[in-house]
Amino acid sequence: MRVVLLGTAAGGGFPRWNCACALCTAARDGRLPARTRECAAVTGNGRDWWLLNASPDLRAQLAATPALWPGPRDTPLRGVLLTDAEADHATGLAELRAAAGLKIYAAPPVRAALDRHAAWEWADSLADGGFVLAGGLVVTAHPVGATLPAGPGWTAYRVEDLASGGVLVYAPCVGAWSPVLEELCADADCVLLDGTFLTAGEADAAVRSGAGQAGHLPVGGPDGSLAALARHPGPRRIYTHLADGNPLLDPGSPARARVTEHGAEILPDGAELVL
């Protein structure tokens, strides 16, 4: 299984257009790498690719990824797995409207929140027994929006490659740590996890500023995801969906050093994983 991190930033991207914080300023000055909004792509055979979310930056992300370029007769994209109905995860569908025949998986609350496109086939991602994707990938979806005001329909995907046995857990929006996530991480080879905020204070500040993405489980703190991941040292642990004020965006920050010391990673846009 190959996974490409097409984008790794939270809403607004990095730098965010209307933010002049120290981190966004450093990104505009070229001192920190810019990031597009969170989205990934996965394949089991190198030919059939599936998007994990569809960000507003999708056109640029596809153009920057040769494996996703169309061939003379076809595009390698077969469909999209949506984790939620947030604009920064779903509006990229508009870029795909000319591609008839795509299959879109989403939880019922997500499907209800989005307009249907006649040229696409919509499927319930939470259907009993999961589903099989072209390319030899078996997927099950799991609700992870465990606390309000977490977004409706927040979903994590477990993706297993039948050929290699590799298991990816993809959970870019998590409301709270739960027994569901505990079980998913127990047999994973790689976990792509919500890294929106380092601390609960960042989340509160973002909400007050009007840029908030409330309900996200913070990375740090005794009840944060980093402490929970420490119980699962086996899988590769990678944070994505990073908000523009998150100090983890700075490779030289003490926060990044602490996360790295605990075995977790922050990767750039375009990074590729093989499981």
Side-chain angles (χ1 to χ4, degrees):
M1 173 166 35
R2 292 167 59 195
V3 184
V4 179
L5 307 186
L6 300 177
T8 54
F14 180 67
R16 183 159 52 88
W17 72 272
N18 61 342
C19 181
C21 72
L23 289 169
C24 286
T25 299
R28 288 192 185 91
D29 292 344
R31 290 177 284 124
L32 290 177
R35 295 172 183 263
T36 57
R37 282 166 280 195
E38 195 278 326
C39 181
V42 62
T43 183
N45 60 7
R47 299 184 303 277
D48 301 295
W49 286 85
W50 296 83
L51 292 177
L52 300 171
N53 288 328
S55 89
D57 302 314
L58 185 59
R59 185 178 183 278
Q61 292 168 341
L62 295 177
T65 311
L68 300 177
W69 292 354
R73 298 182 180 180
D74 194 14
T75 169
L77 289 182
R78 300 292 175 256
V80 184
L81 283 64
L82 295 175
T83 62
D84 52 73
E86 292 186 6
D88 289 302
H89 279 159
T91 53
L93 290 175
E95 293 290 344
L96 305 175
R97 60 187 179 275
L102 291 182
K103 192 163 188 176
I104 315 296
Y105 289 91
V110 176
R111 295 166 61 193
L114 300 173
D115 291 334
R116 303 294 182 88
H117 193 293
W120 300 334
E121 179 184 353
W122 288 79
D124 181 0
S125 63
L126 295 174
D128 290 344
F131 48 94
V132 179
L133 301 179
L137 302 177
V138 177
V139 182
T140 54
H142 307 267
V144 290
T147 61
L148 293 175
W154 280 8
T155 303
Y157 288 106
R158 181 188 185 274
V159 185
E160 181 175 359
D161 185 337
L162 290 176
S164 70
V167 174
L168 169 73
V169 172
Y170 177 71
C173 290
V174 172
W177 197 263
S178 65
V180 169
L181 279 171
E182 196 75 25
E183 183 175 350
L184 288 174
C185 291
D187 73 341
D189 294 291
C190 181
V191 179
L192 283 175
L193 191 63
D194 188 340
T196 308
F197 301 116
L198 178 64
T199 67
E202 283 175 37
D204 294 339
V207 172
R208 289 194 299 271
S209 72
Q213 306 187 23
H216 291 268
L217 175 68
V219 172
D223 298 320
S225 61
L226 190 63
L229 287 175
R231 297 191 291 271
H232 303 282
R236 192 171 180 183
R237 293 155 289 170
I238 301 166
Y239 281 109
T240 189
H241 200 265
L242 305 167
D244 57 279
N246 190 331
L248 294 178
L249 291 164
D250 183 355
S253 68
R256 176 78 79 92
R258 287 196 301 273
V259 166
T260 301
E261 288 169 2
H262 282 79
E265 300 175 75
I266 311 295
L267 298 180
D269 288 9
E272 184 169 331
L273 316 171
V274 179
L275 307 178

